[in-house]
Amino acid sequence: MNIIKVIAFNGSPKSEGNTYHALKIMQNEFEKEEIEVEIIQVGNKKIRGCLACNECVKSQDERCIIDDEVNGWIQKMKNADGIILGSPVHYAAIAGTMKSFLDRAFYVASVNGMIFRHKVGAPVVAVRRSGGLPTFNQLSNYLNYSEMMIPTSNYWNVIHGTSPGDALKDKEGKQIMRVLAKNMVYLMKLKKAGENEVEAPEQEKKEFMNFIR
Ligand SMILES: Cc1cc2nc3c(=O)[nH]c(=O)nc-3n(C[C@H](O)[C@H](O)[C@H](O)COP(=O)(O)O)c2cc1C
């Protein structure tokens, strides 16, 4: 079987905080299956938000006009089989820097031929107390819009903790990450095995219907 590659993004400003630990738990499962995982920290970088300039629509070169790490990360996602979007909860939502990255990267991907279509993708959230589910839903929005395949766990993909490392005390949260990783591996393997057997559905040209008169 071909090599399976996973890229995971840590939206936390903390390099070894709870989001990182959730991703490491998943990485541990992937490595048992000899699946390569690269964890990239986004939350400590200077990433500004989308300018809504639509230059990426015109250029069709899979690039954002803002010249920073985002363009490299778009290509890393394009070359991966699986994508994990990890974020801590900040004000019951995705952490700001992570959102800036996601808006830009997923917009570029969608207007440049839906380049993440049919990749396997999962959202992962770290939270102290409340806001885990809205953040999980917000991360899922990028995957849903991109026609990606989303594996599930035995609960929503949220781990609890406040200070870095607290998440390792969340027994249920750790299991959620392990089960998610195992199901993600299974889905990626099924996809690889079926690639030459089952034809992907034709990609429909997107219909836009703006609700204006
Ligand atoms: C700016 C900011 C906002 C936060 N907002 C929330 C929140 O809305 N709900 C919550 O339960 N925890 C909130 N937290 C706590 C973090 O979600 C929690 O500590 C999490 O484990 C951090 O993950 P990390 O270590 O990967 O950064 C917030 C933390 C920060 C710094």
Side-chain angles (χ1 to χ4, degrees):
M1 200 175 276
N2 300 335
I3 294 171
I4 294 178
K5 273 195 283 186
V6 173
I7 179 128
F9 294 97
N10 175 10
S12 173
K14 296 175 190 163
S15 58
E16 295 197 5
N18 292 315
T19 311
Y20 172 81
H21 285 295
L23 298 176
K24 285 300 273 186
I25 293 165
M26 291 185 74
Q27 185 178 40
N28 190 40
E29 294 304 315
F30 292 129
E31 283 174 352
K32 285 183 198 163
E33 300 285 334
E34 289 174 7
I35 291 175
E36 256 178 57
V37 186
E38 185 182 359
I39 300 179
I40 293 178
Q41 197 186 356
V42 174
N44 63 343
K45 306 283 184 340
K46 283 189 182 161
I47 307 289
R48 62 150 301 141
C50 177
L51 294 170
C53 63
N54 270 341
E55 280 301 319
C56 56
V57 179
K58 290 179 219 146
S59 64
Q60 287 298 303
D61 59 0
E62 300 175 1
R63 289 179 69 81
C64 174
I65 193 170
I66 304 166
D67 195 15
D68 57 18
E69 282 106 321
V70 170
N71 285 321
W73 297 340
I74 292 169
Q75 290 309 307
K76 278 183 185 282
M77 285 194 273
K78 189 185 174 188
N79 294 324
D81 301 283
I83 299 168
I84 305 172
L85 306 180
S87 181
V89 170
H90 284 182
Y91 285 88
I94 299 173
T97 308
M98 182 68 176
K99 186 169 193 301
S100 293
F101 154 58
L102 293 173
D103 286 352
R104 286 172 49 205
F106 279 76
Y107 193 70
V108 167
S110 70
V111 301
N112 281 259
M114 296 283 276
I115 55 177
F116 301 156
R117 184 174 183 254
H118 294 165
K119 288 185 186 298
V120 176
V124 164
V125 175
V127 63
R128 182 185 72 82
R129 188 174 183 87
S130 295
L133 206 45
T135 306
F136 169 88
N137 290 333
Q138 288 162 16
L139 291 171
S140 302
N141 288 340
Y142 297 91
L143 311 174
N144 279 296
Y145 188 101
S146 309
E147 284 189 60
M148 289 172 66
M149 295 178 174
I150 306 176
T152 50
S153 184
N154 61 358
Y155 210 76
W156 293 269
N157 313 338
V158 178
I159 201 161
H160 284 261
T162 305
S163 304
D166 276 355
L168 297 173
K169 293 178 226 154
D170 178 7
K171 202 173 161 196
E172 184 171 355
K174 288 199 292 182
Q175 184 187 52
I176 293 165
M177 298 306 152
R178 280 197 310 276
V179 172
L180 175 64
K182 286 176 190 169
N183 287 340
M184 188 164 172
V185 169
Y186 182 50
L187 188 54
M188 290 188 296
K189 284 190 174 177
L190 282 177
K191 197 173 161 247
K192 275 266 187 244
E195 231 159 35
N196 301 320
E197 309 293 325
V198 186
E199 210 176 310
E202 185 193 337
Q203 189 172 345
E204 289 205 18
K205 189 174 181 305
K206 182 117 180 74
E207 299 275 10
F208 283 100
M209 189 177 164
N210 302 339
F211 290 93
I212 50 169
R213 286 170 204 277

